[in-house]
Amino acid sequence: MSATEDRYLVVVNHEEQYSIWFADRTIPAGWRPVGEAGTKQECLAHIESVWTDLTPLSVRRSLAEPAAKAASR
């Protein structure tokens, strides 16, 4: 990595949606780092490997509720 190349962090929000953020800036409210850092391409590659379901967490939970209720009957 060259000295002029920006460093990024992989961040995630409460809906388990991923993004990248400049490593030298304060992370916005509602987001938290996941422990991965590197070049933009490295961070995007990590996100691609772990974020396999783009459905927000709240939607996944609401879709799972009817199935869980049916299974408990």
Side-chain angles (χ1 to χ4, degrees), residues 11-19 26-33:
V11 294
V12 67
N13 67 16
H14 71 282
E15 288 283 2
E16 295 183 356
Q17 297 168 313
Y18 287 81
S19 189
T26 302
I27 298 171
W31 295 86
R32 61 181 168 78

Side-chain angles (χ1 to χ4, degrees), residues 26-55:
T26 302
I27 298 171
W31 295 86
R32 61 181 168 78
V34 299
E36 294 293 324
T39 66
K40 184 175 188 177
Q41 284 309 112
E42 290 168 339
C43 290
L44 291 174
H46 174 75
I47 290 171
E48 186 175 338
S49 73
V50 298
W51 193 16
T52 57
D53 185 350
L54 301 182
T55 310

